[in-house]
Amino acid sequence: MSKLVILGGGYGGLRIIQGLLGASDLPKDLEITLIDRVPYHCMKTEFYALAAGTVPDQHIRVPFPTHPQLTFKFGTVEKVELEENKVILEDGEIVSYDDLVIALGCEDKYHGVPGADEYTLSIQSVNRARKTYRTLLALGPDQTVAIVGAGLSGVELASELRESRPDLKIILLDRGEIILSSYPRRLSEYIQSWFVKNGVEVVNNANITKVEKNTLYNNGEPIHCDEVVWTAGVQANKVVRDLDIEHDNSGRAKLTEYHYLKDYENVYVVGDCASLPHPPTAQLAEVQGDQIVSVLLKKWNNEPLTPLPEIKLKGVLGSLGKKAGFGLMGNTALTGRVPRLLKSGVLWMYKRHSS
């Protein structure tokens, strides 16, 4: 009996499970164990809408597949002992493995800003997104919500919250001279103008130096806010950051070309925990997951590994509420209703094929 343990049922972990269970050459004596904190897959790309209150909780949940060779353990991973081939859970339970896939996702990165961890809300996990929703729902009219970080998550959260709570004052703070400055200028200008037209205050060239209860300091100057949501960067899960391996600047694991750790050929890392030449996205995690499936099947069937194809991504789609959006397909920028409809279609297809 060979044991594969997968830590995390996010986009990468779920894709690997689906790929393995659908393979005709899956070894019959393989036992797959998925360890996750919740008993369903959560669509993290939609956590912004959950936090803003524009979709119900069940909208972002997908049931895990069932299969005779797949078992589940629900709990929090405390650490991984690479030399011992063991996973330690928070309650002290030890799970041994022959092969391991680490797909634990990311956490907020606070960049050493005092008070940021203590006094801000988050959308980096389903439970934290739920807490953010409950907190924002309780705000009264004319209260102020500051969103720190105008990357994709911050942009989508701010726009969705504007639709959900038109009575609130929303401030979006961005480090760049314009929102999503790494995108084509036309796209950035479209997004920034959408916020201006819809009454969201955008603060560019922001530098958050401290956070206190009800107060945010931008370049040392205080800004009153009733709640602050932090979307200003991520880092790999602490379990990965604590491993005695080579990391990048965000704590992600550096890997071989076959997605396993340099000194541990039986330990694979996928998604936000993996150091790859692309920004971490759900799409990237799924493509990487497909490649890990092919590597594992060849390994188990004693076939030689062949070079993996270069990872190529299809593009980016983002929403500005329910009626507008933006996208980048290669060098082509999309704005308006069409990219929003495309994103809704992609989401519908994902839920249909994952259920």
Side-chain angles (χ1 to χ4, degrees), residues 298-315:
K298 286 183 178 180
K299 173 184 176 179
W300 293 330
N301 289 293
N302 298 312
E303 299 175 10
L305 295 180
T306 56
L308 296 172
E310 178 185 354
I311 290 179
K312 295 182 179 180
L313 304 180
K314 296 178 181 178

Side-chain angles (χ1 to χ4, degrees), residues 124-146:
Q124 284 305 321
S125 71
V126 66
N127 287 332
R128 299 191 78 177
R130 287 168 176 155
K131 178 183 177 182
T132 297
Y133 163 67
R134 293 191 297 268
T135 303
L136 298 181
L137 180 67
L139 290 175
D142 301 319
Q143 291 194 281
T144 300
V145 177

Side-chain angles (χ1 to χ4, degrees), residues 21-327:
L21 297 183
S24 59
D25 54 347
L26 183 71
K28 301 301 182 184
D29 64 343
L30 176 70
E31 179 184 290
I32 304 172
T33 300
L34 171 65
I35 302 177
D36 201 295
R37 287 179 292 189
V38 294
Y40 38 76
H41 166 70
C42 295
M43 294 185 293
K44 188 175 182 180
T45 58
E46 302 305 299
F47 284 0
Y48 73 92
L50 176 63
T54 56
V55 300
D57 192 284
Q58 65 266 28
H59 180 82
I60 56 92
R61 300 198 308 252
V62 175
F64 287 130
T66 56
H67 191 275
Q69 291 176 253
L70 175 64
T71 59
F72 301 93
K73 287 186 180 293
F74 300 112
T76 299
V77 177
E78 183 71 21
K79 65 184 294 189
V80 174
E81 295 185 352
L82 296 174
E83 299 295 339
E84 303 294 329
N85 284 6
K86 293 179 180 178
V87 175
I88 313 299
L89 302 186
E90 192 175 54
D91 62 2
E93 182 179 358
I94 297 174
V95 182
S96 61
Y97 62 84
D98 296 303
D99 292 289
L100 179 70
V101 173
I102 302 176
L104 290 171
C106 60
E107 301 172 354
D108 288 297
K109 187 173 184 178
Y110 296 106
H111 309 285
V113 176
D117 188 4
E118 183 178 1
Y119 295 112
T120 67
L121 300 166
S122 170
I123 58 171
Q124 284 305 321
S125 71
V126 66
N127 287 332
R128 299 191 78 177
R130 287 168 176 155
K131 178 183 177 182
T132 297
Y133 163 67
R134 293 191 297 268
T135 303
L136 298 181
L137 180 67
L139 290 175
D142 301 319
Q143 291 194 281
T144 300
V145 177
I147 298 172
V148 179
L152 188 59
S153 294
V155 164
E156 292 192 309
L157 175 62
S159 59
E160 205 81 0
L161 188 60
R162 167 48 71 225
E163 286 198 357
S164 173
R165 293 292 305 273
D167 57 296
L168 294 176
K169 178 182 179 182
I170 302 172
I171 305 173
L172 180 61
L173 298 105
D174 179 33
R175 292 188 64 182
E177 64 174 19
I178 191 170
I179 287 177
L180 295 176
S181 56
S182 64
Y183 284 42
R185 187 74 179 190
R186 183 173 78 85
L187 206 58
S188 298
E189 290 176 349
Y190 170 79
I191 298 167
Q192 182 129 346
S193 67
W194 187 94
F195 283 117
V196 173
K197 290 176 184 176
N198 287 275
V200 174
E201 180 183 350
V202 178
V203 178
N204 297 116
N205 299 306
N207 179 30
I208 306 307
T209 53
K210 184 169 61 172
V211 184
E212 296 176 347
K213 184 175 177 57
N214 302 127
T215 307
L216 191 67
Y217 291 84
N218 178 36
N219 292 301
E221 295 296 320
I223 300 174
H224 169 78
C225 41
D226 297 285
E227 295 294 343
V228 180
V229 186
W230 191 270
T231 62
V234 295
Q235 59 186 342
N237 185 283
K238 187 177 184 299
V239 171
V240 173
R241 302 201 311 272
D242 287 346
L243 292 176
D244 186 17
I245 58 172
E246 189 176 0
H247 301 86
D248 66 13
N249 292 335
S250 293
R252 300 184 181 98
K254 292 192 174 183
L255 307 174
T256 68
E257 62 179 309
Y258 296 108
H259 306 298
Y260 54 71
L261 298 177
K262 180 180 178 182
D263 296 320
Y264 302 92
E265 294 186 7
N266 63 332
V267 179
Y268 302 79
V269 184
V270 63
D272 295 344
C273 290
S275 182
L276 298 170
H278 301 278
T281 62
Q283 183 184 165
L284 176 62
E286 291 189 323
V287 174
Q288 189 194 8
D290 288 338
Q291 293 192 351
I292 290 174
V293 167
S294 69
V295 172
L296 285 171
L297 290 174
K298 286 183 178 180
K299 173 184 176 179
W300 293 330
N301 289 293
N302 298 312
E303 299 175 10
L305 295 180
T306 56
L308 296 172
E310 178 185 354
I311 290 179
K312 295 182 179 180
L313 304 180
K314 296 178 181 178
V316 177
L317 292 170
S319 67
L320 293 170
K322 292 292 188 284
K323 297 180 180 179
F326 56 93

